[in-house]
C-alpha cells in the first residue's frame, strides 16, 4: 500500500493535471495557520523565488496589470430574500427573462484609488451573464430581467480599483447583481521554473488565494493535505517587493493511509501590509492565483 507522503504527492499531481476537476473537501474559514517546522528546503526555495522576481520583467508587468484578488461578482445589497434564492445563487441557476444589451463601446477603463488607470476590452453583457450562470438546472431559479453598464469597486493586486461592470436586474431585488465587465490581464511569464525536488511534505503548491483583508494585513489561502497528517502549514517570507507563501504539511508519517485529498483555509499575517507587493507561491514561482483552484 502506498505511503501517506507518496499518496498525497500523487493526489496533488492528479489534481493539477485535471485542472482542478478533482474533488477535495475544503474545511475551515480562515483558521490561523499551524507553525511550520523549520524547513530549510522551503526557506531556500522562497528566497530563490524572491530573488528571481526582484527587478524582473515579470514584476514590472505585474505592477502595470489588472489582477483582481476579490470576487468579480457582487450580490444585491438585500440578498437573499429566502433560502430558495440563496440555493439558486449557490447553484448558479439563473433564468434570463429579458434581452441583454450590447456594449456601446469596445473598451473600458480601470481606475485605481492610488492613482493610475488601464484601458481593457469590455466583455459583452451576454458573455458576463454566461460566466455568472450555468442556467437550465433543476430547482429554484433567480430571474434576470435586464442589464446596464455601470461600475463596481474591486480589490486588486494594486489596491482597490473602480472597474466597468454589468449591472444585472434580478427580479424582486432593489439593487443589481454586479459582474466585472473586463477580464484580468494576461499573467506574466514567471522568471523561475516550478519547484521540482523534494516530497509534498517538504513543499507543495497552494490550492488557491481565497482573499486579502481590506487593509492588506492578512491573506487567506486554501492549502492541501492528506487524511493522515496534522494538516497544512503556510510560512511567510517578506521582501521589499514580494511576499512569499510556502505551503507544507505537518505531522506526516510513513505508513498505510487512504488516498484522500483535503483542503483547509488558513489566514496568514505579514509583518506589514501587502500593499503593491506581489504575493507569490514559493512552489510554483507564480503569483498566488485567486478564485477556484
Amino acid at each position: 500500500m502506498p505511503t501517506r507522503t507518496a499518496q498525497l504527492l500523487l493526489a496533488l499531481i492528479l489534481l493539477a493535471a485535471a485542472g482542478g476537476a478533482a474533488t477535495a473537501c475544503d474545511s475551515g474559514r480562515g483558521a490561523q495557520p499551524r507553525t511550520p517546522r523549520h524547513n530549510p528546503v522551503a526557506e531556500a526555495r522562497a528566497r530563490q523565488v524572491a530573488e528571481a522576481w526582484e527587478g524582473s520583467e515579470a514584476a514590472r508587468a505585474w505592477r502595470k496589470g489588472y489582477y483582481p484578488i476579490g470576487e468579480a461578482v457582487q450580490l444585491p445589497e438585500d440578498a437573499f430574500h429566502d433560502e430558495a434564492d440563496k440555493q439558486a445563487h449557490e447553484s448558479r441557476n439563473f433564468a434570463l427573462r429579458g434581452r441583454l444589451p450590447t456594449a456601446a463601446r469596445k473598451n473600458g477603463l480601470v481606475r485605481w484609488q492610488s492613482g493610475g488607470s488601464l484601458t481593457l476590452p469590455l466583455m459583452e453583457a451576454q458573455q458576463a451573464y454566461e460566466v455568472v450562470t450555468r442556467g437550465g438546472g433543476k430547482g429554484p431559479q433567480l430571474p434576470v430581467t435586464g442589464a446596464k453598464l455601470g461600475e463596481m469597486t474591486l480589490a486588486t493586486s494594486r489596491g482597490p480599483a473602480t472597474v466597468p461592470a454589468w449591472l444585472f436586474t434580478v427580479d424582486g431585488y432593489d439593487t443589481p447583481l454586479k459582474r466585472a465587465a473586463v477580464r484580468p490581464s494576461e499573467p506574466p511569464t514567471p522568471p523561475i521554473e516550478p519547484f521540482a525536488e523534494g516530497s509534498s511534505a517538504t513543499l507543495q503548491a497552494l490550492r488557491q488565494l481565497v482573499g486579502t483583508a481590506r487593509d492588506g494585513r492578512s491573506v487567506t489561502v486554501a492549502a492541501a493535505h492528506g487524511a493522515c497528517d496534522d494538516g497544512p502549514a503556510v510560512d511567510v517570507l517578506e521582501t521589499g517587493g514580494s511576499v512569499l507563501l510556502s505551503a507544507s504539511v505537518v505531522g506526516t508519517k510513513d505508513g498505510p493511509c487512504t488516498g484522500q485529498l483535503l483542503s483547509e483555509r488558513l489566514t496568514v499575517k505579514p509583518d506589514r501590509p501587502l500593499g503593491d507587493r506581489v504575493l507569490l507561491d514559493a512552489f510554483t514561482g507564480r503569483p498566488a492565483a485567486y478564485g477556484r483552484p
Side-chain angles (χ1 to χ4, degrees):
M1 184 177 292
T3 64
R4 298 173 184 177
T5 298
Q7 284 192 329
L8 177 56
L9 180 58
L10 177 60
L12 289 169
I13 293 171
L14 291 175
L15 178 64
T23 300
C25 176
D26 186 3
S27 63
R29 303 295 295 179
Q32 293 301 313
R34 298 164 185 82
T35 301
R37 296 168 296 181
H38 179 62
N39 190 336
V41 174
E43 183 177 346
R45 167 64 181 181
R47 294 190 182 281
Q48 183 183 31
V49 174
E51 290 173 3
W53 272 84
E54 189 68 31
S56 68
E57 183 59 36
R60 287 189 288 271
W62 182 262
R63 291 190 176 89
K64 293 179 182 178
Y66 164 61
Y67 301 103
I69 55 174
E71 185 55 61
V73 176
Q74 294 177 0
L75 301 179
E77 294 174 3
D78 51 343
F80 290 98
H81 291 171
D82 52 39
E83 190 62 30
D85 283 0
K86 182 179 180 181
Q87 181 181 338
H89 171 259
E90 289 177 348
S91 60
R92 294 168 61 189
N93 196 12
F94 291 77
L96 186 58
R97 299 284 188 259
R99 297 183 63 181
L100 297 177
T102 57
R105 59 184 192 275
K106 296 298 182 182
N107 296 317
L109 190 66
V110 176
R111 305 189 310 275
W112 278 272
Q113 291 184 8
S114 59
S117 62
L118 183 64
T119 300
L120 293 170
L122 275 178
M123 183 188 301
E124 293 287 352
Q126 183 64 40
Q127 292 176 301
Y129 176 76
E130 290 172 357
V131 171
V132 170
T133 181
R134 290 191 181 98
K138 296 181 179 180
Q141 293 183 321
L142 280 172
V144 173
T145 58
K148 65 178 181 179
L149 192 60
E151 293 181 331
M152 64 187 285
T153 300
L154 185 62
T156 79
S157 60
R158 296 166 58 180
T162 300
V163 305
W166 284 109
L167 313 183
F168 292 100
T169 303
V170 180
D171 190 31
Y173 289 83
D174 295 331
T175 56
L177 180 146
K178 303 176 182 180
R179 206 292 173 187
V182 289
R183 292 187 174 88
S185 302
E186 189 71 22
T189 301
I192 190 170
E193 293 295 322
F195 186 69
E197 297 179 2
S199 71
S200 60
T202 301
L203 185 65
Q204 64 184 41
L206 292 169
R207 291 205 72 223
Q208 66 179 117
L209 170 63
V210 177
T212 60
R214 286 180 177 271
D215 58 7
R217 291 188 176 275
S218 67
V219 177
T220 300
V221 298
H225 67 105
C228 301
D229 54 51
D230 293 335
V234 177
D235 203 3
V236 181
L237 174 70
E238 297 183 61
T239 72
S242 60
V243 175
L244 276 294
L245 301 180
S246 301
S248 61
V249 175
V250 297
T252 58
K253 294 181 180 179
D254 286 335
C257 185
T258 60
Q260 190 175 1
L261 179 64
L262 303 175
S263 179
E264 185 173 334
R265 293 185 181 186
L266 302 175
T267 297
V268 296
K269 296 181 178 181
D271 290 336
R272 58 189 179 89
L274 181 62
D276 66 350
R277 293 182 293 172
V278 59
L279 189 66
L280 296 169
D281 180 348
F283 185 96
T284 64
R286 296 175 177 272
Y290 174 79
R292 296 180 182 273

